[in-house]
Amino acid sequence: MSAKEWPLWEVFIRGQHGMSHRHVGSLHAVDAEHAIKNARDVYTRRNEGVSIWVVEAAHIAASAPSEKGPMYDPARDKVYRHPTFYDIPDDAGKM
Amino acid sequence: MYAQMVKSTGKGLVARKDMLPEDRAFQDRIDAGEKIEPKDYMPDGYRRNLIRQIGQHAHSEIVGQLPEGNWITRAPTLERKANLLAKVQDEAGHGLYLYCAAETLGVSRDEMTEMLLDGRMKYSSIFNYPTLTWADMGAVGWLVDGAAIMNQVPLQRTSYGPYARAMVRICKEESFHQRQGFHIMMAMVNGTADQKRMAQDALNRFWYPALMMFGPSDKDSVHSAQSMAWRIKMNTNDELRQKFVDETAPQVEYLGLTIPDDDLQWNEDTGHYDFTEPDWAEFFEVISGNGPCNVDRLNARKKAWDDGAWVREAMVVHAEKKAARKQAAE
């Protein structure tokens, strides 16, 4: 049992309706080609996708949970970034 | 269930006043319905319990392929064979989703496999019963997957994000499993007298083992309280078992079969079926390694692991060689 474990890959699939690729899960594979083959077997058994992206999990950089506050709180009080902030009279017509 | 008798590794339910401040904050997040993600703070006990539970669930999916795999080459028609093959392939996928969820907690896939093979981790007791006839494929899909779904649907709301997401995928795929099993049973009961007898025989053998899947009676379920507080267990064993009996009894009647329990009857007062509990002595024997097929199942897993070792190694070496060649050419 001395062998190296196959590295972990994250899998992204684009469905048929013009949406962007979406993270669906992960799997182990020796290289990118192998990861795509495995992703096809594991994550598209029911026509879930028409395109697969894989990336080695070790290459993904992620924001830290401890920085949640400074990262996302500033967006909270900026309601003027949403269309509903602006009251437009019905008389102005469809907008 | 697929994870029965997950031994709690903590010291039982900790009272709020005795919690460390970070553990209190953690419990507050769970009580507020927030999902815990891999890099978030979590108490050690939560992490260890989840590894055991998800690992046991994953092993059950993989070992669960064995009793059904037995019948792929013996299916009565090409269509049934294709159906069964698709189901067994799904189980492999479900095992993979769950192994990946467990890996986010810091345990490796190989470690989990080794823990299964040396007996430190378990799998569901149900897969230690043999599948003797084709009717067993009906009973397994209908009852075993039916019982599994009953446990897994609420787990879609479990507190650990990766586990909940794996459950969502699994539940979406699994309802076909139960239906294909029931479909087999329908064909059997509408066939010859012998086929109907086979269907009844399969029900007789799988009824109590299916009830055991929910784990011991609540009064003997010592690990539940903490798991429920952490929302990694959503219902008690007895609640789910009752729900399963209530849903299954009318299906048995529809098939024109008989549940092997003379005391099973509808209770107007409680609004539930009364039924006989399984033989818990048998359950504890099977879960501790002495069921009819425990040795076969583990040997099959061990053989697959050992015989596949050179393939796993060769693939790594080949990938390294390919990468080196590509680099040299650049």
Side-chain angles (χ1 to χ4, degrees):
Chain A
M1 235 56 72
S2 59
K4 270 189 257 175
E5 275 193 53
W6 296 351
L8 190 69
W9 298 72
E10 298 299 333
V11 180
F12 301 80
I13 304 262
R14 178 152 56 78
Q16 266 151 340
H17 307 294
M19 307 295 280
S20 39
H21 283 76
R22 198 169 157 230
H23 182 244
V24 293
S26 43
L27 50 76
H28 288 272
V30 289
D31 60 16
E33 192 189 337
H34 186 211
I36 289 175
K37 277 187 187 150
N38 283 357
R40 177 240 178 222
D41 288 345
V42 179
Y43 292 108
T44 66
R45 290 199 302 283
R46 290 177 175 80
N47 280 315
E48 287 93 337
V50 292
S51 167
I52 299 173
W53 285 352
V54 293
V55 60
E56 221 181 307
H59 292 155
I60 291 183
S63 60
S66 56
E67 287 164 15
K68 241 183 227 166
M71 290 276 275
Y72 311 112
D73 282 355
R76 272 178 200 248
D77 58 359
K78 296 179 177 57
V79 282
Y80 48 84
R81 286 178 174 169
H82 298 277
T84 47
F85 177 76
Y86 302 91
D87 256 336
I88 306 288
D90 289 349
D91 299 350
K94 194 169 179 289
M95 190 180 291
Chain B
M1 188 70 257
Y2 272 16
Q4 302 148 316
M5 295 189 64
V6 176
K7 284 208 176 59
S8 157
T9 44
K11 300 167 201 75
L13 185 58
V14 180
R16 196 178 162 78
K17 63 175 172 51
D18 301 328
M19 286 181 190
L20 298 169
E22 57 267 36
D23 291 350
R24 209 173 296 142
F26 175 82
Q27 188 63 50
D28 287 343
R29 292 191 62 198
I30 288 180
D31 294 344
E34 282 183 40
K35 291 274 182 265
I36 308 302
E37 294 297 338
K39 287 181 166 179
D40 293 351
Y41 171 81
M42 61 187 86
D44 264 359
Y46 178 85
R47 183 186 299 275
R48 286 196 309 256
N49 265 32
L50 264 180
I51 289 175
R52 293 184 79 101
Q53 179 172 332
I54 303 174
Q56 188 172 328
H57 197 157
H59 295 324
S60 298
E61 301 283 355
I62 299 299
V63 176
Q65 294 180 99
L66 298 170
E68 291 184 304
N70 184 40
W71 282 93
I72 290 174
T73 54
R74 300 176 174 89
T77 67
L78 194 55
E79 185 183 296
R80 294 287 187 204
K81 180 174 178 164
N83 299 162
L84 186 60
L85 199 55
K87 178 184 189 298
V88 173
Q89 196 186 4
D90 270 357
E91 307 299 1
H94 296 176
L96 294 184
Y97 306 157
L98 287 160
Y99 281 130
C100 286
E103 284 176 89
T104 63
L105 292 159
V107 63
S108 82
R109 178 88 51 103
D110 286 6
E111 276 171 309
M112 281 186 278
T113 305
E114 282 160 19
M115 284 194 272
L116 169 71
L117 297 181
D118 69 19
R120 278 176 291 159
M121 278 179 120
K122 297 194 186 310
Y123 56 89
S124 174
S125 60
I126 190 72
F127 302 118
N128 291 312
Y129 291 88
T131 45
L132 304 176
T133 73
W134 173 251
D136 290 9
M137 292 303 94
V140 166
W142 166 42
L143 299 173
V144 174
D145 288 72
I149 290 168
M150 205 142 275
N151 180 56
Q152 289 168 175
V153 165
L155 278 175
Q156 293 178 99
R157 292 177 287 114
T158 188
S159 62
Y160 189 55
Y163 192 24
R165 292 191 282 275
M167 280 300 137
V168 169
R169 286 193 72 87
I170 289 175
C171 287
K172 205 153 61 177
E173 296 179 351
E174 201 140 72
S175 70
F176 120 71
H177 298 182
Q178 187 183 16
R179 292 167 74 113
Q180 70 90 34
F182 195 71
H183 205 258
I184 291 172
M185 293 305 265
M186 288 199 307
M188 300 292 288
V189 299
N190 291 313
T192 64
D194 272 345
Q195 287 168 333
K196 188 166 181 184
R197 235 187 331 267
M198 280 166 71
Q200 180 64 53
D201 169 62
L203 173 60
N204 290 349
R205 283 180 291 108
F206 277 95
W207 175 254
Y208 287 106
L211 295 188
M212 291 176 197
M213 287 176 66
F214 298 95
S217 167
D218 290 349
K219 59 184 188 309
D220 302 319
S221 217
V222 287
H223 312 298
S224 287
Q226 181 62 72
S227 291
M228 289 184 78
W230 279 334
R231 291 176 69 85
I232 57 181
K233 184 179 172 109
M234 311 296 286
N235 305 86
T236 74
N237 298 348
D238 286 340
E239 270 168 30
L240 289 172
R241 190 168 12 252
Q242 182 69 59
K243 192 160 183 265
F244 176 75
V245 173
D246 290 348
E247 273 186 28
T248 310
Q251 295 165 359
V252 175
E253 202 175 324
Y254 176 86
L255 291 172
L257 298 176
T258 311
I259 292 176
D261 177 358
D262 292 339
D263 296 326
L264 185 125
Q265 58 177 356
W266 178 252
N267 184 329
E268 280 293 346
D269 298 334
T270 60
H272 295 289
Y273 282 88
D274 292 335
F275 62 96
T276 306
E277 296 240 329
D279 175 359
W280 292 119
E282 176 183 320
F283 170 76
F284 288 114
E285 276 296 301
V286 174
I287 198 94
S288 53
N290 303 318
C293 298
N294 295 58
V295 175
D296 285 354
R297 300 297 186 235
L298 265 190
N299 282 346
R301 287 304 301 131
K302 194 165 172 6
K303 184 175 180 335
W305 182 244
D306 292 344
D307 291 356
W310 72 269
V311 180
R312 295 193 299 275
E313 283 170 41
M315 286 190 67
V316 172
V317 175
H318 180 65
E320 283 168 355
K321 206 164 78 177
K322 228 167 45 173
R325 206 179 293 147
K326 196 173 160 218
Q327 207 171 21
E330 275 166 8

